[in-house]
Amino acid sequence: MNLFRRRSLSNADADLAVADARKLLERRMAPAARRHFLRGSLTLGGLSLLVGCSISDNEDVEAMLQRISRWNDRAQGWLFDPGRLAPTYPESMIVRPFPFNAYYGEDEVRIVKEEGYRLEVAGLVAEKRPWTLAALRALAQQEQVTRHICVEGWSAIGKWGGVPFGDFLRRIGADLSAKYIGFACADDYHTSIDMATALHPQTLLALTCDGEPLPPKYGFPLKLRIPTKLGYKNPKHVMAMSVTNTYPGGYWEDQGYNWFGGS
Ligand SMILES: Nc1nc2c(c(=O)[nH]1)N[C@H]1C(S)=C(S)[C@@H](COP(=O)(O)O)O[C@H]1N2
Ligand SMILES: [Mo]
């Protein structure tokens, strides 16, 4: 049962890797090289040549898919353009009610109380003092209307407001040369992102959704809104964050989802 689940996730991951590789190559290669390279189709076999391992009948497919996923992380990291903005939309396109998703049902949404809440900041930062919501609301805010894309096959346009995460990282004196930011949530969820994405101008420490304080089901008291990444890289109910050079993984990432998770 578990094996089936892992296998199907990994296969989806492989498809994603192939699709991503195609997209990235098409975007970045000179037209002539592109025509030559992409004549025919880039398959899992072709990709394995790029990754630098060969598929033999005996090879553990799972291990190869993991290797492809790691290659895919590196490729996405290299090709991520920190100045390239995710599309934004008019408010008339906002989906209401916005879809809910978590690894549990809506009846089990975690209720975090504002009273006593502190965002904990750990790792490679100069200032580790925890943050109240009031203190976060006092920082300069920004709003965005962007599309949230979930790997489960749905997407929806929503509006989020909050503190640009790059501003926050500079404010707390984070080591901006560190590799990762890890996030721990009020449920058992956790995830982590690369520094380039953390500093992207649209990455938001979101305190509002559709102009209102974030409702519990959308991640009260705060979530990371990252329109350049897939839904599972947008942690809700964030309680603590850590700036680190030690790979933090994530809830779905540890089960085979691609770590970079670009959208
Ligand atoms: N804490 C927490 N954050 C989470 C999740 C979760 O289960 N717990 N699920 C992720 C996934 S897979 C998606 S698609 C989005 C859904 O966010 P929404 O409920 O605001 O649509 O939250 C992401 N962040
Ligand atoms: Mo998702």
Side-chain angles (χ1 to χ4, degrees):
M1 206 167 63
N2 264 341
L3 196 67
F4 174 75
R5 188 182 175 87
R6 281 203 0 252
R7 177 57 47 84
S8 62
L9 285 179
S10 295
N11 283 340
D13 212 32
D15 289 347
L16 240 159
V18 173
D20 279 355
R22 277 196 77 96
K23 232 174 25 195
L24 296 171
L25 289 167
E26 278 164 11
R27 203 185 291 152
R28 299 296 169 128
M29 278 180 130
R34 188 195 305 149
R35 269 197 306 278
H36 177 75
F37 191 84
L38 293 175
R39 191 174 298 140
S41 65
L42 184 58
T43 59
L44 197 54
L47 197 54
S48 80
L49 292 175
L50 277 177
V51 185
C53 64
S54 61
I55 314 172
S56 72
D57 289 343
N58 301 333
E59 182 159 10
D60 180 357
V61 175
E62 194 86 18
M64 198 198 66
L65 291 177
Q66 267 174 38
R67 201 162 158 177
I68 289 171
S69 193
R70 282 199 301 275
W71 173 82
N72 187 15
D73 282 339
R74 284 199 302 279
Q76 290 185 75
W78 292 326
L79 298 174
F80 180 74
D81 179 345
R84 187 192 172 105
L85 298 182
T88 57
Y89 301 88
E91 301 217 351
S92 59
M93 289 179 75
I94 293 172
V95 173
R96 297 186 181 96
F98 194 82
F100 161 84
N101 195 35
Y103 66 89
Y104 43 81
E106 214 173 311
D107 52 330
E108 285 179 60
V109 165
R110 302 308 191 266
I111 306 295
V112 179
K113 294 259 183 298
E114 169 157 1
E115 189 184 295
Y117 173 80
R118 301 284 184 280
L119 171 66
E120 281 174 38
V121 172
L124 306 171
V125 298
E127 218 191 288
K128 291 192 170 130
R129 134 184 104 86
W131 288 72
T132 62
L133 282 186
L136 291 171
R137 288 185 194 122
L139 301 176
Q141 313 280 304
Q142 200 181 81
E143 266 190 346
Q144 62 173 258
V145 179
T146 51
R147 185 185 293 277
H148 171 118
I149 302 169
C150 174
V151 282
E152 287 174 34
W154 59 271
S155 81
I157 292 169
K159 180 165 83 169
W160 293 272
V163 184
F165 194 49
D167 292 355
F168 184 72
L169 289 174
R170 285 179 204 101
R171 176 74 179 234
I172 62 176
D175 176 357
L176 302 183
S177 70
K179 283 190 185 152
Y180 312 106
I181 326 284
F183 301 96
C185 307
D187 47 12
D188 285 333
Y189 205 76
H190 60 114
T191 188
S192 53
I193 61 172
D194 52 293
M195 183 60 78
T197 298
L199 296 174
H200 185 275
Q202 289 170 308
T203 298
L204 219 55
L205 201 54
L207 301 165
T208 70
C209 180
D210 211 3
E212 301 292 328
L214 217 54
K217 65 176 178 175
Y218 302 132
F220 188 86
L222 65 84
K223 69 173 272 178
L224 250 287
R225 173 61 195 140
I226 313 176
T228 57
K229 285 200 190 293
L230 293 166
Y232 64 89
K233 304 297 297 184
N234 290 239
K236 305 194 286 188
H237 314 291
V238 175
M239 303 300 282
M241 53 169 271
S242 177
V243 178
T244 177
N245 283 311
T246 307
Y247 177 71
Y251 182 90
W252 289 117
E253 294 88 336
D254 297 350
Q255 299 176 59
Y257 275 40
N258 173 250
W259 177 73
F260 195 89
S263 66

